[in-house]
Amino acid sequence: MAIRKVARLGHPMLRQPTRQLSKQEIKSPEVQRLVDDMIDTMHEYGGVGLAAPQVHEPLRLAVIEVEELNERYKIAVGQPLLVIFNAKVTVLDPTPYGFWEGCLSVPGLRGYVERPRKVRVDFLDRGAEPRSIVAEDFLATVFQHELDHLDGALYVDKISDRSRFAFVEEYQRFHMQEGGVAID
Ligand code: NI
């Protein structure tokens, strides 16, 4: 296990398409090691998710883990560790729902993004077994943010009101009271 270097905004890897993995590839020692490294890297930097392109691997793979009542986001909703291969997102409720998002690939910044408030994600888990999960509100945003990375999209592309794009310090000084919780 190892902590991997995270690609930052401007690195072409973040904009590349990713490819699906076969069940055999998912079970391979190389890919299982990559998963362990991504979990370590997510923990090291305090993220709630990490997508493979962020560690320079153009694969349809992401990890997500949200601690319940976690210190950083003050949100009482958790998501135990999930390893997500070949994800497909289906919108169940398109009503826009907004959060101040952050990203380990865009350090030091926050931006307000609205996304559909409820989605279903179909994917293969770490053992290459098919799974499906329904996520709402905060968790729906986390899933959509991470899975956007697999299509070369970043949250900064989805900020509709540029006055709500800020450094963390200015976010805390001027915007935190507007509501909407920051995520990474
Ligand atoms: Ni991100």
Side-chain angles (χ1 to χ4, degrees):
M1 303 216 288
I3 292 158
R4 300 242 184 157
K5 187 173 180 189
V6 176
R8 303 203 311 172
L9 180 67
H11 196 295
M13 176 59 75
L14 295 172
R15 298 303 192 174
Q16 272 185 33
T18 56
R19 70 167 182 87
Q20 303 227 2
L21 290 96
S22 68
K23 289 191 172 193
Q24 199 178 354
E25 280 181 298
I26 290 170
K27 293 176 179 174
S28 71
E30 294 76 23
V31 170
Q32 293 291 321
R33 195 173 314 124
L34 170 63
V35 168
D36 285 336
D37 289 353
M38 286 176 61
I39 293 167
D40 280 354
T41 305
M42 171 175 69
H43 288 162
E44 172 71 12
Y45 295 105
V48 295
L50 190 69
Q54 292 183 276
V55 291
H56 309 263
E57 300 283 354
L59 303 172
R60 294 195 77 78
L61 160 63
V63 294
I64 285 176
E65 184 179 36
V66 185
E67 281 173 49
E68 208 166 320
L69 279 175
N70 77 70
E71 274 287 299
R72 192 163 169 182
Y73 308 113
K74 316 290 184 208
I75 270 191
V77 58
Q79 173 58 59
L81 179 66
L82 272 183
V83 177
I84 299 170
F85 286 99
N86 301 349
K88 182 172 163 283
V89 179
T90 306
V91 174
L92 299 181
D93 179 358
T95 309
Y97 206 81
F99 284 100
W100 282 84
E101 298 188 20
C103 182
L104 298 180
S105 293
V106 192
L109 290 162
R110 291 284 184 276
Y112 189 81
V113 177
E114 291 186 329
R115 299 177 184 272
R117 69 161 289 276
K118 189 172 180 181
V119 296
R120 189 183 73 236
V121 183
D122 298 299
F123 61 101
L124 299 178
D125 68 15
R126 197 173 181 163
E129 295 299 323
R131 286 186 62 180
S132 184
I133 192 162
V134 173
E136 293 181 69
D137 304 334
F138 175 66
L139 288 177
T141 285
V142 173
F143 277 92
Q144 290 173 87
H145 175 120
E146 294 312 329
L147 301 178
D148 265 3
H149 277 297
L150 309 180
D151 297 318
L154 299 171
Y155 84 86
V156 296
D157 308 337
K158 303 200 166 175
I159 300 168
S160 53
D161 175 357
R162 303 285 160 82
S163 73
R164 303 182 89 188
F165 185 37
F167 288 103
V168 170
E169 200 183 323
E170 281 70 17
Y171 159 71
Q172 289 169 341
R173 271 183 76 190
F174 301 113
H175 299 281
M176 215 151 80
Q177 65 279 10
E178 290 169 10
V181 180
I183 66 152
D184 245 318

